[in-house]
Amino acid sequence: MERSPRVVILADARAVARELARRVGETLRAKPDLVLGLPTGRTPLLLYQELVELYRRGEADFSRAITFNLDEFLGVSPGHPGSYRSFMRRFLFDHVNADPSRTNFLDGAAADPQEECERYEHEIDRAGGIDLQILGIGTNGHIGFNEPAAELEARTHRVRLKPETRRSNAALFGGDAETVPAEALSMGMGTILQARAAVLIATGRSKALCVERLVNGPITTLLPASFLQLHRNADIYLDEEAASALGGTR
Ligand code: F6R
């Protein structure tokens, strides 16, 4: 039986970005109204550069695509430079022909966060579900902001961020982890796993151990990414450094 997730190892982070951008471009050509789930963070920066390149070369048309970002910091307004909405504008949406009315975000400043999470689930349903969910992975094994815990939540929810997650997002908030919001809103594990296809990208040596546990370890709430083993159509694209702990066990 084919293993899930499938593991694709490429030479370096640029090759990972190119391969996934090529796939997104191809999928968009086949289905112009593709519903894409998108991550933020350092890992997808090269991917977004490559998508902008594809768009400039006329090889990717985002005008009918629908996007849903995975997560947002709680208490951060959409216009705040540290918000993930600002991040996406800066690195992708301001540089391609995405239709702002079709790009969806959680509003971190919503008056009622619970209602906001329900609204988001409803919007994803209304779009017909996510066709292709792109994911990064935290060094602690989180996907979206589903942090390791005794229990995980299925649907979009409010979450308390781990100190390591706040540290790795410090750059968005002036470099101080203490100024990173302590809470966020995130798609849940079920929301993510219901995507028709999922691709997790991981690059660099700091991701080698969590990737090894994701691929070879048991399915555990202590490594939320391990649930991708249950997905029928999941891939992980790695550079050689992120794949370096896999050894011969693949
Ligand atoms: C953010 C998200 C997170 C990141 C993860 C890795 O939208 O979904 O799960 O993918 O924290 O972040 P980087 O790429 O900065 O290592």
Side-chain angles (χ1 to χ4, degrees), residues 13-234:
R14 178 62 69 181
V16 168
R18 282 214 178 108
E19 180 58 21
L20 182 50
R22 191 197 56 72
R23 176 164 166 185
V24 171
E26 194 180 274
T27 315
L28 269 174
R29 283 190 291 281
K31 185 172 191 276
D33 57 351
L34 186 70
V35 184
L36 266 175
L38 295 173
T40 55
R42 275 177 296 276
T43 316
L45 289 177
L46 290 179
L47 168 68
Y48 296 152
Q49 270 182 19
E50 291 292 330
L51 287 175
V52 171
E53 270 309 302
L54 275 193
Y55 167 70
R56 288 190 179 142
R57 291 204 303 266
E59 293 170 31
D61 175 7
F62 292 89
S63 61
R64 290 178 56 205
I66 300 176
T67 67
F68 288 91
N69 264 81
L70 275 161
D71 36 30
E72 183 58 281
F73 295 107
L74 193 67
V76 171
S77 65
H80 187 288
S83 75
Y84 280 163
R85 183 191 292 256
S86 299
F87 176 103
M88 290 306 298
R89 289 192 58 178
R90 203 152 61 240
F91 295 110
L92 183 63
F93 294 145
D94 280 356
H95 313 286
V96 298
N97 64 339
D99 173 350
S101 72
R102 295 165 84 88
T103 61
N104 295 277
F105 295 91
L106 283 154
D107 180 354
D112 183 339
Q114 177 59 34
E115 209 172 274
E116 174 60 6
C117 292
E118 285 162 21
R119 179 195 69 81
Y120 211 56
E121 287 286 331
H122 178 73
E123 288 301 322
I124 293 172
D125 275 353
R126 215 163 59 95
I130 293 171
D131 292 310
L132 176 60
Q133 176 66 61
I134 299 172
L135 298 162
I137 182 170
T139 50
N140 66 10
H142 72 213
I143 50 177
F145 276 149
N146 294 278
E147 298 279 34
E151 293 173 353
L152 298 176
E153 298 222 18
R155 307 264 64 105
T156 301
H157 62 288
R158 181 172 177 163
V159 62
R160 179 155 291 275
L161 298 174
K162 297 272 188 197
E164 59 269 26
T165 303
R166 293 176 74 198
R167 275 197 298 276
S168 71
N169 280 281
L172 291 172
F173 293 88
D176 179 3
E178 284 303 307
T179 60
V180 177
E183 291 181 277
L185 302 178
S186 175
M187 282 188 199
M189 293 300 297
T191 325
I192 292 172
L193 292 171
Q194 274 167 12
R196 284 181 272 281
V199 181
L200 181 145
I201 48 174
T203 56
R205 204 160 289 276
S206 68
K207 301 290 170 72
L209 289 180
C210 59
V211 163
E212 196 280 331
R213 290 173 64 204
L214 152 59
V215 173
N216 294 324
I219 296 166
T220 165
T221 60
L222 300 179
L223 192 95
S226 63
F227 279 78
L228 286 173
Q229 294 177 26
L230 297 175
H231 200 286
R232 279 175 182 278
N233 186 10

